């Protein structure tokens, strides 16, 4: 028995509790043992008067710890945390005898018994409370942005303007991503097509001029480890074969280089040399070397007037510590060769939308002249095919809608139409998806004369000197063979290689479609599962430029919150007992929030990253880890207290509910839905916190059943369910009927379901007990 | 209580034509009939649609619309099972499977029986010989299609098989007898008779 002095305060809640719980009886019972040294009642403990009573008693009786039996912690937890002040704010417990007792139990006697049991539980458990402090944390004021397309550049600019140090890395030799390549973008409000480079250049300039931004091209993220809130990252920069300081962009090297490779900038429509400048306006404006095609003949070295070329240059490994990471790795386009029926790339007159954009780009292979590749003439007709690889459940297809292809096709069609009025443009579609304002642009283009046929073509063939597209016009029910000079495929947007690589390195999950998974698609659209890592742009899913920019700005705001907010984190995080820890590192590998790291022969816990989920507790073979303020012993004590005054013939169910389940149970009370009085709730942050030893302890010390209420939409769901099966097996081995353990899904609004589940379990246990 | 409610719901769903097709034993378990977005890709590739009034997409539309007259419609007999529609449909539908099921529904009614009545000699041949072979009445056309060589082969088949060291193609009387019994027991003969009755009516 500890010699700590524990005081209990009982709130009447203006009759809400006292009408249905005999608080005098509770008081007399509490005072019978020697655990509690003082009990006080009050009409409304949350009032100022209540505050004085609590404070007064703490000082007068020199209380060490306090139990306040009242409403839910969510309602008044903070209030009482303040009221107990001279005491440390974590030295109290709050049994919920209102929502989870007086409001859900009809019979006053039962309600009283239950209240006493809940309070006993808190009395036992508060003995294990230790003084804790909120953890003030600082996130390092530096950010790594992966990917320098429009999203990455936007985020970098915004962060740098807020005073942060930004490292912006890009895998390719030049920045600008898909936007710079596409040539023209459109503005639906103005019904116009604008020059993409003209819009993008000021943004790029701003990035280049900002001294807080370090741009590294030809660079990838190689590894990342979490180190108490920060990330230690390693970047690999391809060799700088051409010294940027010396290169004057004279282009002599390119002239003499004998080796050709397909030109990525022009989507392979033309070739480039092995040493080259990606495109005339490329930033950084510097020559680059494609070391896979280079044959090391050295001709370029001979002609370079500034001796800028060094073919023996080696990779650069850069290590960096940053406070946050933004994944802006963009997308790639569906490989249309997976739909050979459309003839790409077998027929040179079948193009992708991006190839068409390059053909029409003034800095493209034909200086902006649209010509049929096989004939060099202006096409008389162009047919576009939508949904190539999108909305497609066939193997290799993507089920989702790529969201922007309808607008892209419409824009390119209008461009063709306005430059070549004699060329007929037909778009074959399944549905035209131009939500919001874009509908206006669609109607405008349609009125301009671009034709839309509703039908999904099945094949493209070459007949004589032209192409034929076969489809059914599903609106007129006519089968058509459209003869055309040029076919353009609107290929799906898909997750880029770079996105998948970054996700792997950073340990963030992907969606089923391989895009970066946000923490919550509605409420936290730019956060990821790992605190401090954010996502924006098409790395997260198909979207247009506007949306990408909005997301980029959101990500920067979120980082600013993290850095400037002066974060105070709840202290319920993992803590490692150095004496027991053997440094096996299992916990580090298993923590999906990357909260743990190895430091000078000890395991360190990152307070921002750690969610207190308790996964590490389960993994650690040495039982060296506990969650502060939530030790195994404390949990056991809660159970012990609940079972303390069990009456003969009374049935008790210990219900461990996670946070969602606990709110759902509170809703039962608020809505006065009856719940069997046998149910005694213990709120745990995550269900995997409950170990077999707790289940067994409960069932061997008087509990008739153990109920686990779990919100199923959590990352560990399958493991939890699996674990329950294992526990059931253990129960059987230990001679306990496994039916006494039940796991059930909980959702906040589904409180009636929870109540009836409790009832059903209660009935079942009664039958079990009779048998 | 709970489960009977579920039952009720799925029973309601099962009533309409589309669900009857989906629940048919011939329908593959993941048939995308209800996912059809009427894109028309099937029709664009369907040879039957190309050469007749048959429109693969339209068949699906009528089924989804619950248009029962499709069962009586001549048009469902135009599909010749090339399975192109099934191989291209982006939502995993198969018009080909659907028409097969519609045909079976039609066969359960007189109109379908009339449709397949002209093939009944295949069944007769099967009952007679206990194995599948081309009925005599088709030989004339096959002779025209394949020429003298085919006729020679048919006439000298036994001899040719003998030379190749093969046994007789025909079954032994006791095997025939047991097949005959089987065809009786499984109701094959009865169904053949039902189809013939339609002609005789
Ligand atoms: S799992 Fe346990 S023993 Fe192993 S390193 Fe982590 S804390 Fe130490
Ligand atoms: S291809 Fe499939 S989805 Fe498209 S109309 Fe035909 S059945 Fe429907």
């Amino acid at each position: 028995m500890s010699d700590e002095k524990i005081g209990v305060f009982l709130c009447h809640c203006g009759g809400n509790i006292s009408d249905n719980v005999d608080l005098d009886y509770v008081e007399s019972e509490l005072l019978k043992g020697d655990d509690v040294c003082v009990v006080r009642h009050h009409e409304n403990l949350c009032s100022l008067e209540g505050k004085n009573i609590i404070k007064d008693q703490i000082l007068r009786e020199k209380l060490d710890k306090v139990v306040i039996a009242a409403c839910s912690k969510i309602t008044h937890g903070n209030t009482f945390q303040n009221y107990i002040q001279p005491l440390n704010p974590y030295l109290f417990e709050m049994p919920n005898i209102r929502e989870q007792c007086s409001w859900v139990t009809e019979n006053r006697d039962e309600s009283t018994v239950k209240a006493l049991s809940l309070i006993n539980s808190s009395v036992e458990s508060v003995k294990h409370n230790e003084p804790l402090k909120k953890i003030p944390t600082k996130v390092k004021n530096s950010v790594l942005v992966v990917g320098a397309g429009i999203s990455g550049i936007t985020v970098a600019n915004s962060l740098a303007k807020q005073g942060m140090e930004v490292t912006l890395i890009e895998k390719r030799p030049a920045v600008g991503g898909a936007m710079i390549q596409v040539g023209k973008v459109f503005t639906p409000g103005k019904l116009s097509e604008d020059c993409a480079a003209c819009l993008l250049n000021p943004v790029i300039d701003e990035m280049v001029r900002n001294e807080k931004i370090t741009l590294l091209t030809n660079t990838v993220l190689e590894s990342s480890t979490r180190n108490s809130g920060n990330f230690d990252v390693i970047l690999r920069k391809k060799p700088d074969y051409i010294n940027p300081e010396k290169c004057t962009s004279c282009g002599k090297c390119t002239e003499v280089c004998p080796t050709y490779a397909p030109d990525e900038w022009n989507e392979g429509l033309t070739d480039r040399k092995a040493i080259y400048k990606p495109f005339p306006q490329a930033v950084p404006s510097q020559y680059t070397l494609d070391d896979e095609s280079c044959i090391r003949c050295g001709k370029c070295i001979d002609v370079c007037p500034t001796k800028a070329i060094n073919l023996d240059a080696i990779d650069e490994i850069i290590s960096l510590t940053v406070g946050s990471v933004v994944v802006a790795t963009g997308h790639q386009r569906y490989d249309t060769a997976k739909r050979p029926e459309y003839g790409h790339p077998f027929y040179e007159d079948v193009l992708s939308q991006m190839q068409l954009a390059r053909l029409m780009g003034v800095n493209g292979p034909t200086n902006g002249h649209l010509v049929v590749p096989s004939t060099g003439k202006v096409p008389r007709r162009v047919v576009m095919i939508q949904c190539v690889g999108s909305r497609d459940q066939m193997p290799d297809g993507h089920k989702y809608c790529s969201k922007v292809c309808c607008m892209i096709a419409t824009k390119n069609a209008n461009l063709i139409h306005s430059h070549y009025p004699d060329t007929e443009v037909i778009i074959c579609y399944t549905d035209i998806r131009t939500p919001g304002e874009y509908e206006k642009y669609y109607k405008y283009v349609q009125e301009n004369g671009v034709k839309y046929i509703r039908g999904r073509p099945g094949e493209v063939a070459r007949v004589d000197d032209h192409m034929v597209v076969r489809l059914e016009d599903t609106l007129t029910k006519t089968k058509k063979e459209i003869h055309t000079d040029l076919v353009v495929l609107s290929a799906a947007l898909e997750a880029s290689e770079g996105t998948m690589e970054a996700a792997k390195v950073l340990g963030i999950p992907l969606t089923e479609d391989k895009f970066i998974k946000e923490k919550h698609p509605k409420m936290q659209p730019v956060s990821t599962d790992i605190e401090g890592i954010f996502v924006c742009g098409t790395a997260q899913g198909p979207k247009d430029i506007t949306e990408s920019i909005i997301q980029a700005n959101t990500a920067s705001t979120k980082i600013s919150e993290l850095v400037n907010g002066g974060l105070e984190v709840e202290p319920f995080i993992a803590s490692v007992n150095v004496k027991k820890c053997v440094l096996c590192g299992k916990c580090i590998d298993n923590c999906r929030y990357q909260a743990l790291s190895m430091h000078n022969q000890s395991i360190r816990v990152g307070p921002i990253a750690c969610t207190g989920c308790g996964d590490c507790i389960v993994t650690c073979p040495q039982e060296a880890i506990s969650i502060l303020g939530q030790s195994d012993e404390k949990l056991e004590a809660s159970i012990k207290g609940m079972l303390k005054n069990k009456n003969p013939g009374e049935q008790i169910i210990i219900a461990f509910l996670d946070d969602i389940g606990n709110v759902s149970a509170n809703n039962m009370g608020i809505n006065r839905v009856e719940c069997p009085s046998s149910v005694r709730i213990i709120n745990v942050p995550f269900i995997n916190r409950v170990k077999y030893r707790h289940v067994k302890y409960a069932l061997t010390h008087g509990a008739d059943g153990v109920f686990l209420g779990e919100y199923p939409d959590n990352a560990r769901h399958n493991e939890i369910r699996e674990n329950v099966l294992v526990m059931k097996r253990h129960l059987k081995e230990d001679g306990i009927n496994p039916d006494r353990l039940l796991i059930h899904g909980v959702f906040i609004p589904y409180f009636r379901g929870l109540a009836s589940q409790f009832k059903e379990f209660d009935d079942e246990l009664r039958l079990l007990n009779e048998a | 209580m709970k489960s009977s409610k579920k039952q009720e719901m799925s029973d309601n769903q099962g009533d309409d034509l589309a669900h009857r097709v989906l629940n048919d034993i011939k329908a593959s378990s993941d048939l995308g009939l209800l996912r059809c977005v009427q894109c028309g890709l099937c029709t664009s590739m369907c040879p039957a649609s190309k050469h007749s009034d048959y429109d693969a997409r339209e068949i699906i539309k009528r089924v989804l619309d619950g248009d029962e007259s499709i069962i009586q419609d001549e048009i469902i007999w135009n599909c010749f099972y090339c399975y192109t529609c099934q191989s291209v449909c982006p939502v995993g539908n198969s018009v080909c499977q659907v028409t097969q099921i519609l045909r079976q529904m039609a066969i359960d009614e007189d109109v379908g029986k009339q449709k397949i009545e002209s093939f009944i000699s295949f069944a007769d041949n099967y009952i007679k010989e206990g194995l599948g072979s081309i009925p005599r009445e088709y030989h004339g056309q096959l002779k025209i299609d394949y020429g003298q060589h085919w006729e020679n082969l048919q006439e000298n088949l036994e001899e040719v098989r003998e030379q190749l060291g093969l046994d007789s193609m025909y079954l032994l009387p006791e095997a025939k007898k047991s097949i005959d019994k089987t065809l009786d027991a499984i109701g094959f003969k009865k169904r053949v008779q039902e189809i013939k009755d339609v002609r005789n009516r």
Side-chain angles (χ1 to χ4, degrees):
Chain A
M1 193 88 321
S2 76
D3 37 17
E4 283 176 327
K5 299 181 87 179
I6 299 172
V8 177
F9 297 88
L10 305 172
C11 185
H12 294 203
C13 194
N16 274 307
I17 294 169
S18 52
D19 284 356
N20 205 26
V21 175
D22 182 348
L23 287 175
D24 291 330
Y25 171 77
V26 169
E27 175 177 353
S28 65
E29 284 297 307
L30 284 172
L31 288 173
K32 270 188 191 156
D34 46 12
D35 285 339
V36 176
C37 69
V38 54
V39 179
R40 284 283 172 276
H41 293 226
H42 189 260
E43 194 61 16
N44 285 104
L45 275 179
C46 57
S47 65
L48 280 183
E49 220 183 348
K51 179 182 182 173
N52 293 334
I53 290 175
I54 294 172
K55 207 174 197 164
D56 188 60
Q57 286 301 314
I58 290 175
L59 294 173
R60 203 184 290 270
E61 304 283 337
K62 299 208 174 53
L63 296 180
D64 296 301
K65 285 170 183 175
V66 168
V67 170
I68 299 171
C71 51
S72 80
K73 212 164 182 166
I74 300 167
T75 319
H76 275 310
N78 280 338
T79 315
F80 293 126
Q81 211 167 34
N82 288 328
Y83 285 9
I84 66 165
Q85 244 165 34
L87 287 184
N88 174 284
Y90 292 94
L91 294 181
F92 85 112
E93 286 294 325
M94 236 186 115
N96 181 347
I97 56 168
R98 192 179 72 177
E99 286 90 337
Q100 293 179 4
C101 181
S102 75
W103 278 353
V104 289
T105 321
E106 216 149 77
N107 182 303
R108 188 158 192 262
D109 290 342
E110 285 179 9
S111 183
T112 305
V113 168
K114 180 170 177 178
L116 179 63
S117 141
L118 293 177
I119 297 168
N120 275 334
S121 168
S122 289
V123 170
E124 285 303 324
S125 123
V126 83
K127 294 180 187 167
H128 294 266
N129 283 20
E130 294 154 64
L132 294 173
K133 265 206 214 98
K134 283 211 163 74
I135 309 168
T137 28
K138 271 230 100 18
V139 176
K140 212 169 160 355
N141 191 10
S142 62
V143 183
L144 172 72
V145 180
V146 188
I150 179 62
S151 310
I153 299 175
T154 304
V155 112
N157 281 346
S158 165
L159 291 170
K161 278 193 201 156
Q162 300 180 61
M164 280 173 242
E165 293 292 339
V166 182
T167 307
L168 175 59
I169 64 170
E170 169 58 51
K171 194 178 187 177
R172 284 186 256 190
V175 305
M179 181 172 174
I180 194 86
Q181 200 186 357
V182 79
K184 292 271 190 197
V185 296
F186 63 98
T187 317
K190 294 195 297 178
L191 300 177
S192 65
E193 295 90 26
D194 306 320
C195 159
C198 309
L199 296 175
L200 194 52
N201 263 344
V203 187
I204 293 180
D205 277 355
E206 200 182 315
M207 181 263 293
V208 173
R209 278 201 316 269
N210 197 317
E211 283 175 358
K212 291 217 159 277
I213 302 177
T214 310
L215 171 66
L216 299 170
T217 49
N218 287 323
T219 303
V220 293
L221 172 61
E222 185 137 298
S223 71
S224 158
T225 43
R226 191 101 203 223
N227 168 8
S228 45
N230 295 318
F231 300 87
D232 290 333
V233 297
I234 292 185
L235 312 175
R236 182 181 291 271
K237 185 170 175 31
K238 276 196 184 170
D240 248 334
Y241 298 106
I242 298 133
N243 185 335
E245 320 268 88
K246 292 188 183 164
C247 173
T248 57
S249 289
C250 68
K252 290 209 165 76
C253 51
T254 300
E255 270 168 40
V256 296
C257 175
T259 320
Y260 289 88
D263 184 351
E264 301 86 355
W265 164 251
N266 280 326
E267 290 287 296
L269 289 171
T270 51
D271 285 340
R272 57 155 173 79
K273 296 287 181 71
I275 191 164
Y276 67 109
K277 190 170 172 183
F279 53 98
Q281 302 79 11
V283 173
S285 172
Q286 168 196 330
Y287 276 64
T288 187
L289 182 103
D290 154 18
D291 50 8
E292 267 161 40
S293 326
C294 170
I295 54 165
R296 320 254 150 190
C297 65
K299 290 206 168 92
C300 50
I301 301 184
D302 298 340
V303 298
C304 177
T306 61
K307 301 261 165 297
I309 306 173
N310 169 16
L311 293 183
D312 299 322
I314 51 164
D315 284 20
E316 205 181 324
I317 306 289
I318 303 161
S319 78
L320 211 65
T321 300
V322 293
S324 334
V325 179
V326 182
V327 183
T329 39
H331 64 275
Q332 67 190 28
R333 282 168 305 272
Y334 179 71
D335 177 8
T336 45
K338 290 181 184 161
R339 291 286 169 272
E341 55 271 33
Y342 290 152
H344 195 237
F346 313 114
Y347 301 127
E348 47 174 342
D349 297 341
V350 180
L351 302 176
S352 69
Q353 288 288 1
M354 189 53 110
Q355 285 177 320
L356 174 70
R358 291 313 313 143
L359 262 187
M360 290 195 299
V362 281
N363 51 9
T366 54
N367 300 323
H369 298 295
L370 175 61
V371 292
V372 180
S374 69
T375 61
K377 290 192 206 143
V378 172
R380 289 161 295 178
R381 182 182 282 154
V382 179
V383 176
M384 297 183 178
I385 300 179
Q386 296 306 102
C387 298
V388 180
S390 304
R391 304 178 70 197
D392 182 350
Q393 297 185 11
M394 302 263 289
D396 295 331
H398 297 300
K399 284 189 193 143
Y400 54 84
C401 164
S402 292
K403 211 169 168 184
V404 292
C405 334
C406 283
M407 271 103 78
I408 292 174
T410 300
K411 169 196 70 184
N412 286 342
N414 198 46
L415 272 179
I416 297 175
H417 183 78
S418 48
H419 287 76
Y420 306 93
D422 295 335
T423 300
E424 186 185 27
V425 194
I426 300 173
I427 299 178
C428 306
Y429 68 97
T430 312
D431 296 291
I432 285 290
R433 301 193 162 177
T434 50
E437 252 205 326
Y438 298 124
E439 181 81 0
K440 225 163 73 183
Y441 183 73
Y442 159 46
K443 289 292 166 212
Y444 161 76
V445 171
Q446 200 172 27
E447 270 154 34
N448 281 351
V450 169
K451 291 207 178 80
Y452 289 80
I453 297 183
R454 194 199 175 281
R456 192 161 179 161
E459 95 187 296
V460 173
R462 189 164 185 101
V463 175
D464 300 331
D465 60 345
H466 61 273
M467 312 302 301
V468 174
V469 176
R470 300 203 170 96
L471 84 160
E472 180 197 14
D473 182 333
T474 58
L475 298 181
T476 61
K477 273 203 253 170
T478 42
K479 291 136 213 169
K480 289 207 152 107
E481 295 208 329
I482 313 175
H483 297 251
T484 181
D485 288 327
L486 203 58
V487 176
V488 184
L489 307 179
S490 295
L493 264 60
E494 58 185 22
S496 66
E497 295 279 331
T499 301
M500 291 181 252
E501 278 159 27
K504 204 159 141 213
V505 170
L506 293 166
I508 42 178
L510 296 173
T511 63
E512 173 189 2
D513 299 321
K514 305 274 184 295
F515 291 102
I516 304 273
K517 190 167 181 276
E518 341 75 338
K519 189 156 187 187
H520 191 282
K522 267 203 168 27
M523 309 307 286
Q524 287 171 294
V526 296
S527 307
T528 66
D529 256 14
I530 296 185
E531 196 68 49
I533 302 183
F534 299 87
V535 61
C536 62
T538 48
Q540 184 257 337
K543 59 177 63 66
D544 68 4
I545 295 169
T546 316
E547 248 188 286
S548 298
I549 293 175
I550 294 173
Q551 250 197 342
N553 287 323
T554 311
S556 111
T557 310
K558 282 285 151 199
I559 291 175
S560 168
E561 278 176 17
L562 205 61
V563 171
N564 299 321
L567 228 49
E568 271 209 327
V569 187
E570 283 291 339
F572 307 122
I573 61 168
S575 121
V576 179
N577 180 333
V578 278
K579 284 199 200 114
K580 286 191 189 170
C581 172
V582 294
L583 296 171
C584 69
K586 286 211 168 81
C587 53
I588 303 184
D589 298 341
N590 191 59
C591 175
R592 75 202 122 108
Y593 302 106
Q594 292 190 11
L596 299 158
S597 54
M598 182 90 72
H599 255 272
N600 300 332
Q601 299 298 302
S602 71
I603 304 283
R604 191 188 276 179
V605 182
I608 303 182
C610 179
T611 61
C613 73
D615 273 354
C616 49
I617 304 183
V618 188
T619 349
C620 176
Q622 305 295 320
E623 300 219 325
I625 309 186
S626 56
I627 304 293
L628 285 178
Q630 295 169 10
S631 64
D632 282 346
E633 291 71 27
K634 180 170 151 81
L635 197 54
E636 201 165 283
S638 309
I639 304 168
K640 182 176 158 202
M642 265 177 189
L643 299 169
K644 191 170 161 191
N645 285 353
K646 189 183 180 191
N647 298 320
E650 185 187 355
Q651 178 153 304
I652 293 185
I653 296 172
I654 305 277
F656 295 101
L657 300 186
D658 63 14
D659 288 341
I660 299 278
N662 194 49
V663 175
S664 187
N666 286 345
N667 282 345
M668 268 162 44
I670 292 163
N671 291 285
R672 302 296 204 280
V673 176
E674 164 109 38
C675 166
S677 67
S678 59
V679 173
R680 312 285 150 86
I681 293 166
I682 298 179
N683 182 196
V684 287
F686 297 90
I687 284 302
N688 48 2
R689 178 67 197 84
V690 182
K691 291 186 187 171
Y692 178 65
R693 64 177 268 196
H694 299 123
V695 175
K696 186 175 171 189
Y697 181 90
L699 292 177
T700 50
H701 286 73
D704 299 274
V706 171
F707 184 101
L708 304 173
E710 175 227 10
Y711 180 54
D713 192 16
N714 75 67
R716 285 288 189 251
H717 174 71
N718 291 335
E719 283 154 60
I720 291 173
R721 294 284 162 147
E722 199 48 46
N723 195 26
V724 169
L725 293 181
V726 175
M727 291 207 233
K728 280 179 178 274
R729 230 176 294 138
H730 285 325
L731 284 177
K732 204 165 175 194
E733 285 160 16
D734 286 336
I736 303 169
N737 190 334
D739 290 345
R740 294 192 183 273
L741 173 65
L742 181 82
I743 183 155
H744 182 68
V746 288
F747 302 88
I748 288 176
Y750 195 49
F751 53 87
R752 273 174 223 283
L754 181 61
S756 60
Q757 194 60 49
F758 278 147
K759 173 106 192 29
E760 225 171 86
F761 192 39
D762 190 51
D763 290 345
E764 268 163 33
L765 288 172
R766 230 167 271 283
L767 286 179
L768 262 186
N769 287 344
E770 275 163 24
Chain B
M1 245 291 278
K2 234 184 281 164
S3 60
S4 70
K5 190 147 210 178
K6 242 186 228 161
Q7 199 68 46
E8 232 168 68
M9 270 165 65
S10 67
D11 279 355
N12 282 343
Q13 279 183 350
D15 273 355
D16 58 52
L17 181 54
H19 282 92
R20 261 158 48 220
V21 170
L22 271 179
N23 295 334
D24 193 280
I25 193 159
K26 278 204 178 79
S28 43
S29 60
D30 54 351
L31 184 65
L33 172 59
L34 298 177
R35 295 194 293 263
C36 172
V37 287
Q38 290 288 302
C39 68
L41 182 50
C42 47
T43 310
S44 80
M45 297 294 279
C46 168
S49 297
K50 190 182 254 160
H51 298 293
S52 75
D53 283 346
Y54 180 79
D55 182 329
R57 177 194 54 78
E58 177 81 7
I59 299 282
I60 300 301
K61 176 155 196 303
R62 286 174 67 182
V63 170
L64 291 176
D65 285 349
D67 176 358
E68 303 271 343
S69 73
I70 181 98
I71 297 167
Q72 317 284 333
D73 201 321
E74 282 275 319
I75 210 88
I76 60 172
W77 299 91
N78 284 16
C79 165
F80 45 85
Y81 297 174
C82 71
Y83 284 93
T84 304
C85 53
Q86 176 167 329
S87 74
V88 297
C89 174
V91 297
N93 191 16
S94 169
V95 191
C96 196
Q97 276 186 35
V98 173
T99 44
Q100 285 174 53
I101 294 163
L102 293 173
R103 285 180 191 181
Q104 189 56 56
M105 290 175 171
I107 291 167
D108 294 341
E109 298 170 23
D110 284 355
V111 42
K113 293 196 183 92
Q114 275 158 11
K115 267 289 173 195
I116 57 169
E117 193 263 339
S118 52
F119 299 103
I120 213 70
S121 49
F122 279 93
D124 282 339
N125 232 27
Y126 189 41
I127 294 169
K128 203 167 110 214
E129 304 289 357
L131 48 82
S133 61
I134 298 167
R136 275 268 156 222
E137 52 185 294
Y138 291 99
H139 285 200
Q141 184 60 40
L142 285 165
K143 216 174 348 180
I144 297 167
D145 288 349
Y146 293 119
Q148 190 59 43
H149 176 75
W150 188 83
E151 200 188 353
N152 290 345
L153 182 64
Q154 292 305 308
E155 270 165 17
N156 306 315
L157 192 59
E158 289 291 309
E159 228 170 88
V160 173
R161 290 181 66 93
E162 220 168 276
Q163 273 173 24
L164 290 172
L166 297 168
D167 285 343
S168 164
M169 216 175 81
Y170 295 99
L171 300 179
L172 297 171
E174 53 267 40
K176 255 196 223 176
K177 214 182 264 164
S178 75
I179 290 184
D180 192 70
K181 268 192 193 150
T182 311
L183 294 181
D184 228 349
I186 64 172
F188 183 80
K189 287 183 178 172
K190 193 172 145 240
R191 289 174 65 191
V192 169
Q193 194 50 49
E194 273 172 23
I195 291 165
K196 285 183 179 163
D197 285 347
V198 174
R199 168 176 51 181
N200 300 337
R201 229 180 271 158

